[in-house]
Amino acid sequence: MTDVNAARVQETYRFRHMATVRHFLRANVRPGDLLLVALLALPVILAWPRLGILDPADSAAVLRWTARVSGIAAMICMILAALLSARLPGVDRWFGGLPRIWGWHRALGYWAFVLTMMHVLAIAFAGVAGSPEQAVATLFPGAGGHAIWAGWAAWLLMLAFVWPTFGLPRPPAYQRWKRLHLLSAPMLILALAHVLWLTPPGAVWWALGGAGLLAIGWRKVLAPRVARHEHRVVSVTPLTDDVVEIALRPRGAPVRFRPGQFVYLTPFDEDLAAGRGEEHPYTIASAPGDPLLRIGIKNLGDASGALQTVSVGSSAAIEGPYGCFFQRHHPGRGQLWFGGGIGITPFVAGARALADEALATTGDIRLFYLADRPERAYYLEELQRLAATSPGLEVTPHYFRSHGAITGGFLQQHCGDFASREIYICGPQAMRNYLLDLLRRHGVPGYRIHTEAFDFL
Ligand SMILES: Cc1cc2nc3c(=O)[nH]c(=O)nc-3n(C[C@H](O)[C@H](O)[C@H](O)COP(=O)(O)OP(=O)(O)OC[C@H]3O[C@@H](n4cnc5c(N)ncnc54)[C@H](O)[C@@H]3O)c2cc1C
């Protein structure tokens, strides 16, 4: 090979390699992730000069150093977890959607717990390296040790609400688990008091700690009063034995949203058997131009079961919208949608938007509706009607009971270029996993597949 050819091959390889890295970053890293990582590192970087030079031969000093660093890291994890719980509409898009934010929130909570344990153990072992009496005196000071007692109280509160998150002794009911989470506010205050008493007052801790507390205050006190839009239930249409579509009319300005987004719905119907005043996430099934907000609700538990018979005329609050399922749209490339079970709702919104003349876009969309059997394919008739009048939309039902699991052959038969499309999947986890595996086996790169989960907790 000549030098010129070798250079060209190398250059091509470099470009391909760079393109793969770029695609990987585009699919997996969002601006919010970078911001979080920077905030995670900030307090440790600022504290670094005060941590001193580490002498590996001095085990007590290493333990004291570990205790300080793990303490700082645990504190920043707690604060960031609190900040992420604010659930400000729009902010979730920086992270690629609310489910990714909850993923971060959970990871930060987990690491706050582990680092706090490390912090306590490192202090204990550092004390034992001197004498057991010293260890006991450091960990359990007399009445004057406010800072240490505040730390212990924070730790106990953390244990109380983090333990059930690990499913121990068994997963708690969702609403009970949510109420237990309220302990995070006093825990954060006590942990901050512990830090501020022990370290020279730093503007960074005040600012970050204050922001964390504001976030909790916003979510628990302010948002229910100022961020919710009042609506009235105007119709409840049964779609099958365990799914209804509820239409709501806004009492004030309508919620502005895009297809694929979801809202938190809080019903106030006095006659509801369960879930009155509880907020639950539901995808908007209407087109943005529809004066009514429509939501398809499947009976999956107490609250969603009770909503099957919510009273027409009753009030409900809507908060949001959240999510960015379709916003990773790449114009110019055809789309392939897979909706399974109640996971069909974002595609119903998408199809209704396509048919809405005011929004009409020329799409090139193939929708596969995966249902167990024809009676479970609610919305199918309407989707087929919409496809008949929207030139860019084609709908193909697939019934598990008669066809078995969907195969590459079935896809090929109904959508020859399926592997080169931008792909959107919403449905139960088993379906998502199966499709991800199938598509990857047909060479579809991960960055072209977008999924939405209804079971992210
Ligand atoms: C982004 C998103 C969009 C959704 N869209 C729809 C939709 O269009 N139609 C539909 O029927 N269902 C949708 N769901 C599911 C719906 O939120 C749950 O079925 C409902 O919250 C169940 O509540 P429950 O009290 O009836 O059941 P429970 O028995 O209390 O809960 C069953 C499961 O639902 C989840 N869940 C319950 N409450 C919440 C909550 N407040 N926040 C998050 N998850 C919760 C938990 O995983 C829980 O284990 C969506 C969920 C998410 C996350």
Side-chain angles (χ1 to χ4, degrees), residues 312-397:
V312 170
S314 63
S315 297
I318 294 290
E319 193 179 334
Y322 300 98
C324 50
F325 186 35
F326 287 126
Q327 283 160 41
R328 281 159 286 165
H329 179 108
H330 303 281
R333 180 172 283 148
Q335 294 184 31
L336 179 57
W337 296 350
F338 289 100
I342 194 62
I344 195 67
T345 48
F347 305 116
V348 173
R352 284 173 170 170
L354 271 180
D356 185 327
E357 277 182 19
L359 299 163
T361 49
T362 42
D364 172 12
I365 297 167
R366 301 283 177 280
L367 165 60
F368 284 88
Y369 190 159
L370 276 52
D372 185 50
R373 52 192 193 280
E375 309 86 79
R376 300 300 303 162
Y378 33 87
Y379 283 122
L380 181 61
E381 261 180 53
E382 181 184 347
L383 287 166
Q384 285 175 328
R385 253 195 338 269
L386 292 171
T389 52
S390 316
L393 176 67
E394 259 183 55
V395 178
T396 309

Side-chain angles (χ1 to χ4, degrees), residues 87 98-99 102 173-175 178 243 262-264 275 278-285 295-306 308 342-343 345-346 452-457:
R87 216 178 73 203
L98 209 48
W102 289 140
Y174 181 80
Q175 292 302 325
K178 232 176 137 181
V243 181
F262 65 95
V263 289
Y264 275 81
E278 266 177 30
E279 56 169 19
H280 288 266
Y282 293 104
T283 301
I284 304 170
I295 289 172
I297 298 182
K298 181 169 181 179
N299 177 354
L300 290 169
D302 289 352
S304 52
Q308 306 292 308
I342 194 62
T345 48
E452 181 82 322
F454 282 6
D455 44 8
F456 63 66
L457 291 174

Side-chain angles (χ1 to χ4, degrees), residues 32-78:
D33 301 339
L34 301 177
L35 180 68
L36 265 192
V37 172
L39 287 173
L40 268 173
L42 183 70
V44 180
I45 292 170
L46 290 178
W48 200 258
R50 277 185 287 117
L51 291 173
I53 295 165
L54 200 57
D55 174 7
D58 182 350
S59 58
V62 171
L63 285 165
R64 277 196 300 277
W65 188 92
T66 308
R68 271 189 224 128
V69 173
S70 54
I72 293 170
M75 187 72 240
I76 187 68
C77 284
M78 284 177 219

